[in-house]
Amino acid sequence: MSEDVVSNGLVDDRYVKALRLVEEFQSQVGALLRQFEAQMMQAQPELFEQGETARLRQSENPGSGLANHRINHSLSGPAAPDGVDLNVHLYWMPPAEYNRTDIDGALRAFGYKLKGADTGIDESVAEQTRAGEWELEMAPNPYDSNTVFYRHVSSKAEIMDAMTVLVDHFETFGDAYHMESQS
């Protein structure tokens, strides 16, 4: 252990300030994800039981990636297929995992996926997204087999813009995931 690291951590309470900064950042990101989750539920109300809340999870050491903040919300409404969760997230990933050589540092993917959904539906939605005028990126998700729809973000303003586009996307294409659409 370097003496400089210890000494610098003690100067002006830098270590304690860093801990508080992390706590505040996680709280703010969590609030944004809760807002995103609520808007996604409003965009496709038939997929969700109203009044349900899901747990926010945050990890600085996920099994894959660099860090993540996410909410997995079970689809349990009248049109919901079994075993599918809406996942809203901010993933911190090595850019190469998303085939993004244009990004230095970490890819900050603010987005959503439907975990456990039929991958054929994901592929169809991805094709329609590419054919449209959507300012979204798509990638295979490193945590499972579903497609992630996301935008790389660098500020709160970009997160808010991404949230608007992603909610509109889910409102437009979410019907494809309805149970009766899969029959």
Side-chain angles (χ1 to χ4, degrees):
M1 182 179 327
S2 167
E3 183 174 327
D4 289 343
V5 171
V6 173
S7 295
N8 286 332
L10 295 170
V11 171
D12 297 326
D13 298 325
R14 287 182 183 160
Y15 173 73
V16 173
K17 289 176 184 174
L19 290 175
R20 289 185 185 138
L21 177 63
V22 168
E23 184 178 304
E24 180 64 20
F25 180 82
Q26 289 179 337
S27 175
Q28 294 290 321
V29 168
L32 288 168
L33 287 175
R34 288 267 179 231
Q35 180 181 349
F36 185 26
E37 171 195 27
Q39 289 179 19
M40 295 288 275
M41 290 173 65
Q42 289 172 355
Q44 289 290 335
E46 309 81 25
L47 293 175
F48 301 95
E49 282 295 324
Q50 298 308 309
E52 282 186 354
T53 57
R55 190 171 138 213
L56 171 69
R57 294 178 184 222
Q58 301 181 73
S59 175
E60 297 84 26
N61 298 307
S64 179
L66 305 172
N68 67 47
H69 311 267
R70 71 185 191 285
I71 296 173
N72 288 329
H73 193 121
S74 294
L75 274 59
S76 57
D82 290 335
V84 178
D85 292 337
L86 170 68
N87 171 286
V88 295
H89 58 261
L90 175 60
Y91 289 160
W92 302 72
M93 302 298 292
E97 287 195 33
Y98 277 58
N99 206 19
R100 294 291 304 270
T101 57
D102 59 313
I103 296 172
D104 284 334
L107 170 70
R108 295 168 303 276
F110 185 84
Y112 82 92
K113 65 177 178 169
L114 287 158
K115 205 172 143 182
D118 182 311
T119 55
I121 295 172
D122 275 353
E123 290 169 19
S124 174
V125 170
E127 284 176 27
Q128 292 175 66
T129 301
R130 279 187 213 92
E133 303 255 338
W134 293 95
E135 294 182 21
L136 288 177
E137 300 288 335
M138 291 155 284
N141 187 18
Y143 298 106
D144 56 50
S145 62
N146 290 104
T147 300
V148 60
F149 301 92
Y150 76 95
R151 284 177 79 178
H152 173 66
V153 294
S154 297
S155 67
K156 182 177 179 183
E158 288 182 7
I159 287 174
M160 300 307 290
D161 288 344
M163 190 182 308
T164 298
V165 171
L166 290 159
V167 169
D168 287 348
H169 184 264
F170 188 55
E171 186 169 31
T172 301
F173 296 110
D175 289 352
Y177 296 95
H178 287 209
M179 186 172 41
E180 62 270 7
S181 299
Q182 299 178 38
S183 301

